[in-house]
Amino acid sequence: MVMRLYDLAGASDDHRFSPNCWRVRMALAHKSLEVQTLPWRFTEKDEIAFSGQGTVPVLVDGDTNVHDSWDIAGYLDRTYPQKPLFDSEQSRAEGLFIKLWVETQINPIIARIILVDLHGMLHDKDKEYFKESREKRFGMALDSLCADRPGQIAALVTALTPLRQMLKVQPYIGGKSANYADYIAFAALQWARTSAPVEVLESDDPVHAWRERLLDMYDGLARNTPLPKAA
Amino acid sequence: MVMRLYDLAGASDDHRFSPNCWRVRMALAHKSLEVQTLPWRFTEKDEIAFSGQGTVPVLVDGDTNVHDSWDIAGYLDRTYPQKPLFDSEQSRAEGLFIKLWVETQINPIIARIILVDLHGMLHDKDKEYFKESREKRFGMALDSLCADRPGQIAALVTALTPLRQMLKVQPYIGGKSANYADYIAFAALQWARTSAPVEVLESDDPVHAWRERLLDMYDGLARNTPLPKAA
């Protein structure tokens, strides 16, 4: 039976923007595993209550359900060892550092670029929940959080320095080919790309070229997802 | 024949502070490889001219000499595969990202904490070279660079966030035990510790506990090196 992934969606079913869900979709494609993605909204807690979780991604594989994008990656490598997402214990351990680099150094800046736009693209039933929970998390109104987009784009470019320097030596965080650490970092930029009609990278940035390579992978899986339109 | 490592020294032969040399010393100890370290000063270019390099570390292993701490690690893993510094290709590739994170996000802040003190501890013949080259690199006088030590210590604590978050899940960047990525990050803090009589980490910081574990390794190799004295 094909796996099912509960995947965050906006007002339209085909608007998929969640960075944690994009990690999983890239991981499944990496292993050539078929998946049916089910559009899910923040407030549809009942839909995933069976998993014991209130957020996605939730992956259902036969009788098993797994949540949390990091744990899903571990589950996939244990259950479907072909083309590993991490090729060793140390690779996985270092990947956890890179995950936390993305989550503490990159995602908070992207939030300051996109959250107002993203809020506007959510299903009506999600808008209040999203605004309240994000304003609580960041300790300020969304409008104030996103008040300096050019400054935050510049901060993002600076924060990406270690990745940029690395890309001058090798094409992927995984080395010659992409591994799950690449998907985690890529998913952050895919979150930006699918949430606001703004380009955050210059075309001559090595990070831009790397993102292009990831957008092309798996028959353009990430490139072909519907994008937000400029207002 | 025992290997020899040209190792940066201060005014006294036993003051060893170079982060790039500490990476190599930890790597050699990791593999239980014996080494004779030779004190070397910045201006002793003739001493290592045989290597084609103007900086250390330079490792001499029989008829082979290797320079650059990253390349030395690769040489050691190829030549002495026991207890690898990286256990896979992806582990090594991700390690390069972590190296560049240390070099672009951590080391520049430590420089702003310690360089004035370090300058004072150098051999007289190195002082002018060091001051000129570092002031050129940072585009300002050393005194100005190091004018706000409390602010830079706070910045360092913030910059270490991804490492701190990771250490709440696993004891080393390499996972259950340290690998070369740990030594790279540790060497940055060992550079601080051996260059200025100032504690940069709170005792309840998980990064502090991790540094303690690394200081204890290999019979206290890093802990037992002579430290600068408070002026």
Side-chain angles (χ1 to χ4, degrees):
Chain A
M1 201 169 86
V2 68
M3 282 185 256
R4 285 173 294 140
L5 177 70
Y6 287 84
D7 189 13
L8 205 52
S12 72
D13 276 357
D14 63 2
H15 181 222
R16 309 294 177 92
F17 55 87
S18 158
N20 293 346
C21 292
W22 273 108
R23 296 174 181 180
V24 175
R25 292 185 68 180
M26 295 299 283
L28 289 163
H30 177 99
K31 288 180 176 287
S32 306
L33 292 170
E34 213 181 328
V35 67
Q36 179 191 7
T37 66
L38 305 171
W40 177 88
R41 272 85 188 189
F42 287 105
T43 48
E44 294 175 342
K45 304 295 185 196
D46 287 353
E47 299 279 326
I48 56 170
F50 67 88
S51 72
Q53 297 306 305
T55 56
V56 293
V58 170
L59 182 72
V60 180
D61 183 14
D63 294 335
T64 305
N65 70 77
V66 198
H67 62 270
D68 181 278
S69 62
W70 183 254
D71 291 341
I72 290 172
Y75 169 80
L76 292 175
D77 265 350
R78 285 192 305 277
T79 312
Y80 304 97
Q82 76 269 22
K83 210 175 171 205
L85 295 165
F86 290 117
D87 72 350
S88 73
E89 276 190 41
Q90 289 186 13
S91 156
R92 181 171 167 82
E94 292 169 58
L96 182 62
F97 172 85
I98 298 169
K99 168 189 190 281
L100 291 163
W101 174 75
V102 170
E103 292 177 358
T104 64
Q105 308 302 303
I106 304 300
N107 284 356
I109 303 176
I110 294 178
R112 289 173 165 79
I113 299 172
I114 65 167
L115 285 198
V116 164
D117 292 71
L118 180 54
H119 178 255
M121 284 180 286
L122 296 180
H123 197 287
D124 282 342
K125 67 180 174 184
D126 273 3
K127 284 186 175 172
E128 190 180 326
Y129 167 86
F130 183 83
K131 191 166 188 293
E132 273 186 18
S133 61
R134 270 50 186 175
E135 293 190 340
K136 188 175 171 194
R137 182 183 301 173
F138 287 96
M140 65 179 82
L142 287 189
D143 283 346
S144 309
L145 186 74
C146 296
D148 179 20
R149 178 176 275 179
Q152 293 300 331
I153 290 176
L156 178 64
V157 168
T158 299
L160 289 167
T161 299
L163 179 59
R164 182 175 302 112
Q165 298 281 89
M166 187 213 75
L167 290 169
K168 293 173 182 172
V169 183
Q170 63 194 25
Y172 296 101
I173 303 175
K176 288 177 195 152
S177 57
N179 76 358
Y180 195 62
D182 288 277
Y183 301 142
I184 291 171
F186 168 74
L189 295 174
Q190 178 74 344
W191 179 40
R193 185 174 165 275
T194 53
S195 297
V198 56
E199 177 53 82
V200 295
L201 300 171
E202 299 284 346
S203 59
D204 62 351
D205 186 339
V207 180
H208 184 283
W210 166 83
R211 189 187 60 180
E212 288 291 306
R213 293 194 292 276
L214 280 139
L215 285 168
D216 285 337
M217 283 179 186
Y218 315 126
D219 299 323
L221 172 68
R223 191 187 293 284
N224 295 333
T225 200
L227 289 186
K229 288 170 185 62
Chain B
M1 202 169 86
V2 68
M3 283 186 255
R4 285 174 294 141
L5 178 70
Y6 287 86
D7 188 13
L8 205 52
S12 73
D13 276 358
D14 63 3
H15 181 222
R16 309 296 176 88
F17 55 86
S18 158
N20 293 346
C21 292
W22 273 110
R23 294 174 182 180
V24 175
R25 291 184 69 180
M26 296 298 283
L28 289 162
H30 177 99
K31 287 178 176 289
S32 307
L33 292 169
E34 213 180 327
V35 67
Q36 180 190 9
T37 67
L38 305 170
W40 178 88
R41 273 84 189 189
F42 287 106
T43 49
E44 294 175 341
K45 305 294 185 195
D46 288 353
E47 299 280 325
I48 56 169
F50 69 89
S51 71
Q53 297 307 305
T55 56
V56 294
V58 169
L59 182 72
V60 181
D61 184 14
D63 294 336
T64 305
N65 70 77
V66 198
H67 62 270
D68 181 279
S69 63
W70 183 254
D71 291 341
I72 290 173
Y75 169 81
L76 292 175
D77 264 350
R78 286 191 305 277
T79 312
Y80 304 96
Q82 76 270 22
K83 211 179 170 203
L85 296 164
F86 290 117
D87 73 350
S88 72
E89 275 190 42
Q90 288 185 14
S91 156
R92 183 172 166 80
E94 292 169 57
L96 182 62
F97 172 85
I98 297 168
K99 169 188 189 281
L100 291 164
W101 174 74
V102 170
E103 292 178 358
T104 64
Q105 308 303 304
I106 304 300
N107 285 356
I109 301 176
I110 293 178
R112 288 173 166 80
I113 299 171
I114 66 167
L115 285 197
V116 164
D117 292 72
L118 179 55
H119 178 257
M121 284 181 285
L122 297 180
H123 197 286
D124 281 342
K125 68 180 175 183
D126 272 3
K127 285 187 175 172
E128 190 181 326
Y129 166 87
F130 183 84
K131 191 168 191 291
E132 274 185 17
S133 60
R134 270 49 185 177
E135 293 190 340
K136 189 175 169 193
R137 182 183 298 173
F138 287 95
M140 65 179 81
L142 288 188
D143 283 346
S144 308
L145 186 73
C146 297
D148 178 20
R149 177 175 276 179
Q152 294 300 330
I153 289 175
L156 178 64
V157 168
T158 299
L160 289 166
T161 299
L163 179 60
R164 182 175 304 113
Q165 299 281 89
M166 186 212 77
L167 290 169
K168 293 173 183 172
V169 183
Q170 62 193 28
Y172 297 101
I173 303 175
K176 288 177 198 155
S177 57
N179 77 356
Y180 196 60
D182 288 277
Y183 301 142
I184 291 172
F186 168 74
L189 295 174
Q190 177 74 342
W191 179 39
R193 185 174 165 274
T194 54
S195 297
V198 57
E199 179 52 81
V200 295
L201 300 172
E202 299 285 348
S203 61
D204 61 352
D205 187 338
V207 180
H208 184 283
W210 164 83
R211 190 187 60 179
E212 288 292 306
R213 293 195 292 275
L214 280 140
L215 285 168
D216 285 337
M217 283 181 188
Y218 316 125
D219 299 323
L221 172 67
R223 190 186 293 284
N224 296 332
T225 200
L227 290 186
K229 287 170 185 60

